[in-house]
Amino acid sequence: MKTLVIAEKPDMGRNIAAVIEPKAKNARTYIEGEHYIITWAIGHLIGLAEPDAYDDKYKKWNINDLPIIPEHFKLKPNPKTKDQLKVIAELAKRSDKLINACDAGREGQHIFSLIQQHLKMRQPVKRLWISDLTPETIKKGFDELKDGVEYENLSKAARARSEADWLIGMNGSRAFTTKHNVLLSVGRVQTPVLALVYDRQKEIDAFNSAKFYDVEAIFKQGDSEYKGLWQGDRIQDEEKAKAIAAKVRGKEGIIQSYDMKDTKEYPYKLYDLTLLQREANAKYSFSAKKTLDLAQALYEKHKVISYPRTTSNYVTEQNIPQMHKSLDQLRGTDYVKFAEQADKKYVHKNNKSVCNPSKVEDHHAILPTNKMARNLAPDEAKIYDLIVRRFLSHFFPPAEYKVHTVMTEVEKEEFKTTVKQLLSEGWKVVYADQKKDAKKSRAKKDKEDEDESQSEEEVTTPFQLNAKEGVLCINSEAKEKETQPPKPYTEGTLLKAMESAGKQIEDDELRDAMKDSGLGTPATRAAIIERLKQVGYMVMKGKRIVITQKGRMAVEVIRGAGVDLLTSPEMTGQWERRLNEIAKGSASDEVFMANVKKFATMIISKVKVQSRVAKESFEEKPSEETKPSRTRKKTAPNTGEGKSAAKTGTAKKTSSKKASVTVSSEPSQNLSADQAPPEQQRTTKMGIAPCPRTGCHGTLIMGRRGFGCSHYKEGCKFVIWKDQFGISLEPEDIASLAAIGKTKKAFLVEDDGRQREGHFILLDSNTGTIGLN
């Protein structure tokens, strides 16, 4: 009998096989060697069953059937990957030991546990727990395999997370949808995240801007010139500000006080996933999901970085030698000029800004490995560059500054100046070649933050004043400013808020302490943001996140039902903390689940007595910033079954009787926790559903006359025209056609002059031709 190794994905399996069974035979779905058989999941092979698996009555959504609280949760194989599950089942029959080689985290543990549970595998289990996929690390990991029972608490936490999401998602979504007759997706994590965006928008809407005036002066002493900002209560009277400026202009003054102090700036923290996503969003406008996908490719495919889904910004003592090896490797790359200047003496076990074992749990900070990075895609290279530069910066001394603080008095008016003089670049030399971009970015930021007081001025040239000598005010002016509302969230700032459960925490130490009680985990936050876009609760306007009318109303009806806790970031953050405690063995999963079941029951009782909100309240108003929703309208029917229109690229219309439309009131039964399937997603320009054409990885988007693929420039011809059979199709219809091949709703349409009811069906997934069934 052999040992069966189950990795999370094929690439990981092949990487492991290359180390432990280099001469093994590749059988496509597994690799078999002398001692080991290596196979893999393809993400989640098993999931929680839909409600109708417990009772057929749940196929229809009915608020009177709620709450749905299974005594024992049933499992269901993913139909798309059931063949691979069968492969694992057959291989397990030939094995007497199992090795869980899925991702070393909560979700990886869950993937393996579900496979083990569903297939009833009773063999003893060992756990491979590694942070990168280099041969050295894989070999070391197999030499130090752990007993699977050591991760039982992590499995309990993963199962509790999954079942809690199911209970809140299934019950909450069905309750609010059936009550208000509008598809509303509710989730344990997504709803409080939406509430963050909603509350920020309410602050912006309620903000009243006010004008005020700053008085700036320029002083000269010998060859030195410097700016000063008038000190006093905020001036709201323009004439007063102008009078102060005129009063001091051209007059002599004195230096009331002049302080100098030496300061040091140390490198920024090493990256965890959330920090990497935030900075990639700020610098490159990458979405959280894109950054995660790129980092995952650098980890799995290229093997040039360590495990990216980490919550830690630090390393342990055991990582220090590997960091030194990675530095040596970088001396043979494009980073040679920095790597050669770097000094290993700065990265050691006593440097607490790098090595802090108490702040490393499952995984250390994201680091480059000692594998050479080759053939990276442009966007992969950008993420790799962020990681490498942050890594290199810690091998340099701190940047050194002399900070000059000057108080200047002219005509009894006081002006403050802060000048930060760079003495030594230190670690900032690693970013020196990016200064132009940084200056542009800073200039843009300064423009956006005009309401803020003058910040300190940074100079690289010597700055020196004589406190005993006088100065001359060579110019002064009153500058009109305006108070600014809170800024809309970007994906980067929303990630920051999710990390600290919505609390505005600037202190790094306090934010670190909040990580266990954030909204979601680093591995799931990107998916949560994407889900909120997909279900039509928010859209992107450039880098800004804008909540839609549907998103606003979703929060308002949930709060209106008296279940504010469902929208509470802090409360949901505490749930996440409890899950972390379950993983550590310091809290009970049974107690947690009992509380979640009580909460799900309470949601139903509140919603049942809530008044229904008008459906129109969820639709965009034409004057609002987000694109208005189109209402269903009657059109002249097409000739034939819509095929000719699809083929010729025009939606031909014939004159006939106006078609009437009847929409079935039965909602879809496929809403799952924290997500709605594509057929239930609201249209945004960001995409309606994945393109169904075989081999295409594009997204369906809405155009003026139809719904086409975002990869049309690459040759994808898939298109579904809006006007078919006298009906104007809407985005949710297109999403349903793309996902399951037919519309969820039934329509009363005119077909060849006769009225009949039917569903639209997708006849050809390559062209978008549809018909009526």
Side-chain angles (χ1 to χ4, degrees):
M1 301 288 275
K2 297 180 181 180
T3 299
L4 179 62
V5 180
I6 302 176
E8 187 164 325
K9 294 177 184 175
D11 276 352
M12 297 174 67
R14 285 188 278 269
N15 289 331
I16 291 169
V19 175
I20 64 171
E21 289 282 11
K23 297 180 180 179
K25 176 186 175 184
N26 191 335
R28 196 175 64 81
T29 54
Y30 64 94
I31 299 171
E32 184 165 359
E34 186 178 353
H35 302 290
Y36 296 97
I37 305 172
I38 302 95
T39 190
W40 42 80
I42 306 170
H44 284 270
L45 297 181
I46 309 284
L48 296 179
E50 297 288 325
D52 58 24
Y54 300 92
D55 194 315
D56 281 345
K57 70 180 181 180
Y58 295 135
K59 287 181 179 178
K60 291 188 177 182
W61 287 22
N62 187 328
I63 197 167
N64 294 318
D65 291 333
L66 302 177
I68 307 169
I69 301 180
E71 188 174 343
H72 298 289
F73 283 86
K74 295 182 179 181
L75 301 181
K76 180 183 177 182
N78 183 338
K80 294 181 179 178
T81 54
K82 62 182 181 181
D83 290 342
Q84 185 63 20
L85 186 62
K86 289 178 182 176
V87 169
I88 296 175
E90 290 302 315
L91 295 175
K93 294 174 183 177
R94 300 198 282 120
S95 307
D96 59 352
K97 295 177 186 175
L98 301 176
I99 294 178
N100 175 4
C102 292
D103 272 0
R106 191 168 75 187
E107 284 311 295
Q109 188 70 20
H110 192 45
I111 286 170
F112 179 86
S113 295
L114 289 178
I115 295 170
Q116 184 185 26
Q117 180 184 343
H118 183 72
L119 296 180
K120 297 180 173 58
M121 297 190 295
R122 306 298 182 209
Q123 299 92 327
V125 178
K126 293 287 187 179
R127 185 57 158 114
L128 176 69
W129 193 273
I130 55 177
S131 285
D132 66 62
L133 293 172
T134 58
E136 297 88 345
T137 302
I138 292 170
K139 185 177 184 306
K140 188 169 185 283
F142 269 84
D143 289 340
E144 300 173 354
L145 289 171
K146 310 289 186 182
D147 282 329
V149 292
E150 293 183 31
Y151 297 88
E152 182 58 31
N153 288 327
L154 186 62
S155 297
K156 288 180 180 179
R159 184 172 61 251
R161 192 281 308 161
S162 176
E163 293 176 358
D165 284 349
W166 193 99
L167 287 168
I168 301 303
M170 287 295 180
N171 287 290
S173 297
R174 287 182 176 225
F176 284 104
T177 295
T178 52
K179 170 58 74 171
H180 301 290
N181 200 28
V182 173
L183 186 64
L184 295 175
S185 177
V186 174
R188 182 184 66 88
V189 180
Q190 75 170 35
T191 300
V193 174
L194 177 64
L196 286 176
V197 181
Y198 172 90
D199 290 337
R200 174 63 58 87
Q201 188 60 50
K202 293 292 282 186
E203 289 179 48
I204 294 170
D205 293 344
F207 184 82
N208 291 316
S209 182
K211 287 184 180 179
F212 67 97
Y213 299 86
D214 279 343
V215 179
E216 289 185 1
I218 299 177
F219 303 105
K220 186 175 179 65
Q221 184 189 80
D223 294 330
S224 297
E225 286 187 10
Y226 63 97
K227 287 182 182 179
L229 185 69
W230 182 79
Q231 300 296 288
D233 294 335
R234 176 171 282 184
I235 303 172
Q236 295 179 315
D237 182 349
E238 182 180 11
E239 294 306 316
K240 179 181 177 181
K242 287 182 176 178
I244 294 173
K247 178 182 177 183
V248 300
R249 191 181 300 120
K251 302 295 178 62
E252 292 186 353
I254 60 169
I255 294 177
Q256 194 179 74
S257 65
Y258 182 20
D259 294 322
M260 288 183 288
K261 67 175 182 178
D262 292 324
T263 64
K264 293 180 179 181
E265 277 189 22
Y266 292 87
Y268 301 126
K269 290 188 297 185
L270 293 167
Y271 285 121
D272 62 6
L273 177 59
T274 302
L275 184 57
L276 179 65
Q277 288 170 317
R278 283 168 45 195
E279 297 208 359
N281 179 256
K283 186 168 184 177
Y284 300 119
S285 299
F286 288 174
S287 69
K289 181 181 184 302
K290 180 171 183 176
T291 298
L292 174 56
D293 290 345
L294 292 168
Q296 200 67 23
L298 291 171
Y299 167 66
E300 284 182 16
K301 178 182 174 183
H302 300 289
K303 300 183 278 295
V304 294
I305 67 168
S306 61
Y307 185 72
R309 298 171 187 243
T310 176
T311 60
S312 179
N313 304 101
Y314 302 92
V315 303
T316 66
E317 293 178 23
Q318 289 73 33
N319 301 125
I320 301 297
Q322 181 59 47
M323 291 179 73
H324 290 175
K325 287 181 184 177
S326 296
L327 175 64
D328 291 337
Q329 180 272 133
L330 289 170
R331 290 184 175 132
T333 69
D334 292 341
Y335 299 96
V336 57
K337 68 176 181 178
F338 303 130
E340 286 184 344
Q341 295 176 54
D343 195 330
K344 292 178 182 177
K345 73 178 182 182
Y346 292 107
V347 175
H348 53 82
K349 66 179 182 180
N350 295 320
N351 180 352
K352 292 301 178 186
S353 64
V354 175
C355 183
N356 193 336
S358 66
K359 293 186 177 181
V360 180
E361 292 185 2
D362 294 340
H363 297 283
H364 55 71
I366 303 173
L367 302 172
T369 66
N370 57 3
K371 188 178 187 301
M372 196 79 73
R374 292 190 175 92
N375 303 317
L376 300 185
D379 287 345
E380 290 173 343
K382 288 176 180 176
I383 297 300
Y384 184 66
D385 183 69
L386 287 176
I387 294 166
V388 169
R389 287 179 191 261
R390 183 61 58 93
F391 168 81
L392 283 169
S393 68
H394 286 273
F395 289 90
F396 285 79
E400 296 180 7
Y401 293 90
K402 187 177 289 290
V403 179
H404 306 256
T405 305
V406 187
M407 294 296 294
T408 305
E409 183 181 314
V410 182
E411 298 292 307
K412 297 186 178 179
E413 304 291 347
E414 289 186 351
F415 295 81
K416 183 177 181 180
T417 303
T418 304
V419 175
K420 191 176 177 183
Q421 179 189 349
L422 179 66
L423 302 177
S424 172
E425 273 191 307
W427 62 271
K428 292 192 174 184
V429 70
V430 174
Y431 297 93
D433 58 337
Q434 299 183 336
K435 277 187 177 178
K436 286 184 180 179
D437 290 339
K439 283 180 181 176
K440 285 181 186 176
S441 176
R442 191 160 53 246
K444 183 178 179 182
K445 187 176 187 301
D446 290 344
K447 190 175 181 181
E448 292 172 350
D449 297 343
E450 284 181 349
D451 59 303
E452 296 180 6
S453 300
Q454 178 182 337
S455 59
E456 60 190 12
E457 180 183 0
E458 187 171 325
V459 298
T460 56
T461 54
F463 180 84
Q464 188 68 44
L465 296 174
N466 188 333
K468 296 179 181 179
E469 290 185 9
V471 299
L472 177 65
C473 178
I474 60 175
N475 197 14
S476 61
E477 62 177 322
K479 290 190 172 183
E480 183 181 297
K481 301 288 181 71
E482 201 170 34
T483 56
Q484 298 295 312
K487 289 180 171 55
Y489 280 116
T490 64
E491 287 204 26
T493 56
L494 183 57
L495 284 167
K496 179 179 177 182
M498 290 171 73
E499 189 176 42
S500 53
K503 292 187 176 181
Q504 299 304 307
I505 301 174
E506 296 304 321
D507 184 87
D508 285 342
E509 289 297 316
L510 284 177
R511 193 180 304 113
D512 281 345
M514 285 291 293
K515 279 186 176 183
D516 278 354
S517 55
L519 294 176
T521 66
T524 61
R525 286 173 189 145
I528 291 162
I529 293 173
E530 289 302 308
R531 184 61 54 196
L532 289 170
K533 291 186 226 173
Q534 290 167 351
V535 299
Y537 285 160
M538 64 191 201
V539 295
M540 302 302 297
K541 297 288 182 180
K543 286 177 67 173
R544 295 182 297 122
I545 294 173
V546 178
I547 192 168
T548 64
Q549 179 62 15
K550 185 178 182 182
R552 291 188 191 97
M553 287 306 300
V555 174
E556 288 176 11
V557 297
I558 291 169
R559 286 178 171 168
V563 284
D564 294 44
L565 288 180
L566 188 53
T567 65
S568 167
E570 191 167 346
M571 172 61 70
T572 307
Q574 293 303 319
W575 291 358
E576 200 66 50
R577 171 175 282 179
R578 191 54 46 87
L579 288 169
N580 280 298
E581 290 172 352
I582 293 168
K584 295 171 186 174
S586 58
S588 165
D589 57 321
E590 292 178 353
V591 172
F592 173 79
M593 287 306 299
N595 288 330
V596 171
K597 289 173 183 178
K598 287 178 186 176
F599 185 60
T601 303
M602 184 269 282
I603 291 172
I604 304 307
S605 65
K606 297 279 190 180
V607 177
K608 281 182 176 179
V609 298
Q610 185 181 27
S611 299
R612 175 171 289 184
V613 174
K615 192 171 184 178
E616 294 74 22
S617 300
F618 295 87
E619 297 173 356
E620 292 297 342
K621 313 298 189 290
S623 60
E624 295 182 35
E625 184 176 10
T626 50
K627 187 171 182 176
S629 301
R630 296 186 177 221
T631 55
R632 208 167 279 282
K633 68 185 180 191
K634 301 171 185 178
T635 70
N638 294 336
T639 55
E641 294 275 308
K643 294 181 183 179
S644 60
K647 287 179 181 178
T648 60
T650 59
K652 295 181 181 177
K653 299 178 182 178
T654 62
S655 59
S656 70
K657 300 174 187 175
K658 290 185 178 179
S660 62
V661 180
T662 304
V663 180
S664 167
S665 61
E666 180 190 337
S668 165
Q669 64 266 34
N670 290 328
L671 263 178
S672 60
D674 264 337
Q675 68 179 49
E679 62 268 30
Q680 300 167 348
Q681 295 168 4
R682 186 87 170 168
T683 290
T684 72
K685 272 290 186 182
M686 298 302 294
I688 298 164
C691 178
R693 188 172 73 86
T694 305
C696 181
H697 301 291
T699 302
L700 297 186
I701 56 177
M702 184 168 70
R704 188 168 58 86
R705 292 191 300 118
F707 302 85
C709 180
S710 60
H711 283 190
Y712 67 94
K713 289 184 179 178
E714 287 83 1
C716 183
K717 304 296 185 186
F718 186 94
V719 63
I720 299 177
W721 303 107
K722 285 183 183 176
D723 297 335
Q724 309 248 16
F725 298 91
I727 301 299
S728 182
L729 294 173
E730 291 195 347
E732 55 262 41
D733 304 323
I734 305 304
S736 183
L737 283 164
I740 62 173
K742 71 173 186 177
T743 55
K744 282 287 180 184
K745 299 168 185 172
F747 305 91
L748 186 63
V749 304
E750 284 190 350
D751 183 20
D752 295 330
R754 294 171 298 167
Q755 285 194 342
R756 70 183 178 98
E757 183 172 307
H759 295 265
F760 289 112
I761 59 172
L762 184 61
L763 298 174
D764 189 335
S765 61
N766 289 319
T767 65
T769 302
I770 67 171
L772 192 65
N773 185 21

